[in-house]
Amino acid sequence: MPVERVRRSTDEWEAVIGAEVRAARIAANLDQSELAKRADISLGAVKNLEAGKGSTLKSLIRVVRALGRTEWLESLTPPITVSPVAMLSSKRPATRTRQRVSRRRATVNHED
C-alpha cells in the first residue's frame, strides 16, 4: 500500500485497513471462518475488522500474523538508524569553550 499524505479520520482508517485485510484474506484463498480459526479470534472479530467497524489491536495483530503479512507491522516500527541524541547534537551550534564570568579580585593593600 503506497504511503499517502492524506488526512483520514479514524473511521476512514478502519475502512482502509479492513479492505486491506479482506484483500489479503481473499488473495490467501481463505474464508472468514478459516482466518478466524488461524488467528485464534472470533468470526465476529474478523467480520468487524473487515467491515471497518473496529477491532482490538490484539485481534488485528493476530489476523496480520495469520495472513503472513507481518511486514505491515514492521513498517510501523522502522529500525532506528540514527541516534536521537546524535540528531539533537547535530542541530546545536558548534560547541564553544564555555566562558565563565570572572570577578576582579580586590587588591589588598598590605601596609605595614
Side-chain angles (χ1 to χ4, degrees):
M1 181 163 105
V3 176
E4 295 181 17
R5 300 290 180 215
V6 178
R7 290 194 166 263
R8 295 183 176 162
S9 69
T10 301
D11 291 339
E12 290 169 330
W13 276 115
E14 286 178 324
V16 168
I17 291 169
E20 289 293 323
V21 167
R22 183 175 190 274
R25 175 183 58 78
I26 292 169
N29 199 28
L30 298 171
D31 62 21
Q32 289 178 327
S33 61
E34 181 60 28
L35 177 57
K37 197 178 299 180
R38 289 184 183 191
D40 194 27
I41 62 173
S42 71
L43 176 58
V46 171
K47 288 181 178 185
N48 285 340
L49 178 61
E50 288 187 6
K53 294 182 181 177
S55 180
T56 66
L57 181 58
K58 186 174 282 193
S59 292
L60 176 61
I61 291 169
R62 287 180 177 195
V63 165
V64 168
R65 291 179 70 197
L67 290 169
R69 301 300 299 262
T70 55
E71 72 275 4
W72 290 353
L73 301 174
E74 296 294 336
S75 71
L76 297 174
T77 57
I80 297 173
T81 57
V82 177
S83 163
V85 174
M87 286 179 65
L88 286 174
S89 296
S90 69
K91 291 183 180 181
R92 291 185 184 149
T95 308
R96 294 182 291 170
T97 305
R98 186 173 175 191
Q99 294 182 357
R100 299 193 183 268
V101 176
S102 61
R103 295 186 184 153
R104 290 187 168 178
R105 294 185 179 188
T107 54
V108 178
N109 191 356
H110 293 286
E111 292 183 25
D112 294 312

